[in-house]
Amino acid sequence: MTTPSISFVSLGLVVLDEIRFPNQEPLINVVGGSGAYATLGARLFLPIPLSRSLGWLPHIGNDFPESTIRYLTSKWDTTLIIDKETDKPSTRGLLEYKDTTFGPKDFKYTTPILQVQINSLKGTPLLESKAYHYLETPQNIINRVSDLLSVRKSEAVPERPLIIWEPAPPSCRVENLQPCLEAVHTVDVFSPNHLELAAFFGDPPPSALDKGKIESLALRFLDNGVGPDGKGTVIIRAGEYGCFICARHLSPSWLPPFYKHGPREEHNSKVVDPTGAGNAFLGAYAIGYLNTGNGMEAACYGSVGASFALEQVGMPDIRTDISGELWNGESVRSRLKLYREAVGRGTST
């Protein structure tokens, strides 16, 4: 088999979650984590056989379910390279919802974290990926990107990939603002959510969305310079309010979510759980950008990718019929076409 040209790799975590709801039996071994959901977002737009251009290097422990590996191998059909620790447990988390899936929730890791190591990419096609996704602290992202570029150079992969960074939520604090302003010089896309953005500036969580405030804070980062050439992009993911995207070559713009979450919206019944939607947005964004070279077009991919993560707890269902791949019974491309028409961007590409 010909070695595929890899388009996207997430270096985020794959986590086995235990999810607890009030007055319900807990769900166990639910595949989650930033790496899993970002990979989902990319996979949605890479149907078989293009799915083989999606690289995945989950770092797992000795308790990772074999049934899950078989499912990912057979249904997702990515270039999957398992990095397994035989003497350690998988990264596990406990997610507890206080009321509904949109209400307060607590998350904590219950085992030591198994992070993907850059050296594990050596000798694999994943080292030549066109785009990478990270969830990291401002202090760590600089070293992680430097290590990646250094290994690629040593393996004669000179071209710089697209680097997408979402800051680790606990690191979004005012004392990390300056390290963050320095770190964004090393990445091409910087994407906190609106609460994380406010936290960097010491602002309390807003009781209502203030679009003007979000725009002004995002532009602080853009004016500071994003990317090694200053031509990078800032994307603020704002959940049910959509996203704000700005770059030197783009007019700052808001895009709505695919599902408009609200008590009177007809789509609301399909929105089940927001977990992982932001990560899926960025994986889908990466494929959109590689396909079109346009940040706004890529954000349309991202909004649609996020919508599939919202429709259930965990990963969406995938099956194939005569028309092609269906996720939760729907065509991803048809949904993209519908969304692009709704936001005035014409027909799908």
Side-chain angles (χ1 to χ4, degrees), residues 74-95:
S74 63
K75 292 290 189 179
W76 286 33
D77 195 28
T78 64
T79 297
L80 181 69
I81 301 172
I82 302 293
D83 185 9
K84 187 173 183 178
E85 301 278 357
T86 59
D87 59 346
K88 296 178 182 177
S90 299
T91 305
R92 289 183 175 272
L94 174 61
L95 180 61

Side-chain angles (χ1 to χ4, degrees), residues 253-299:
S253 301
W254 283 87
L255 281 176
F258 181 84
Y259 287 130
K260 296 177 181 177
H261 176 55
R264 290 184 295 275
E265 296 288 349
E266 62 175 340
H267 291 315
N268 191 43
S269 62
K270 294 196 71 173
V271 178
V272 174
D273 185 2
T275 301
N279 312 125
F281 178 104
L282 293 174
Y285 175 94
I287 303 304
Y289 191 83
L290 293 176
N291 284 351
T292 70
N294 183 286
M296 289 300 297
E297 290 294 321

Side-chain angles (χ1 to χ4, degrees), residues 106-221:
D106 291 327
F107 176 82
K108 64 179 180 181
Y109 292 107
T110 57
T111 62
I113 292 172
L114 299 181
Q115 189 177 60
V116 178
Q117 301 300 319
I118 298 301
N119 283 340
S120 298
L121 299 177
K122 286 184 176 180
T124 78
L126 278 59
L127 187 61
E128 300 184 32
S129 179
K130 296 179 179 69
Y132 294 90
H133 161 263
Y134 291 88
L135 188 148
E136 278 291 354
T137 67
Q139 292 82 357
N140 286 348
I141 188 64
I142 295 175
N143 293 331
R144 294 273 280 167
V145 171
S146 176
D147 289 347
L148 172 66
L149 298 180
S150 176
V151 172
R152 282 169 64 101
K153 184 178 181 180
S154 70
E155 298 289 320
V157 187
E159 185 176 347
R160 178 184 166 87
L162 181 74
I163 304 291
I164 299 173
W165 173 42
E166 54 178 315
S171 71
C172 299
R173 304 191 302 268
V174 67
E175 58 265 34
N176 283 334
L177 175 59
Q178 189 57 42
C180 188
L181 289 168
E182 295 170 5
V184 295
H185 294 306
T186 67
V187 304
D188 302 288
V189 178
F190 172 58
S191 183
N193 67 33
H194 65 298
L195 300 177
E196 293 158 356
L197 176 69
F200 273 123
F201 291 91
D203 293 347
S207 56
L209 188 77
D210 184 340
K211 285 190 173 183
K213 185 66 174 293
I214 290 172
E215 293 167 13
S216 66
L217 296 183
L219 290 170
R220 287 272 301 273
F221 279 100

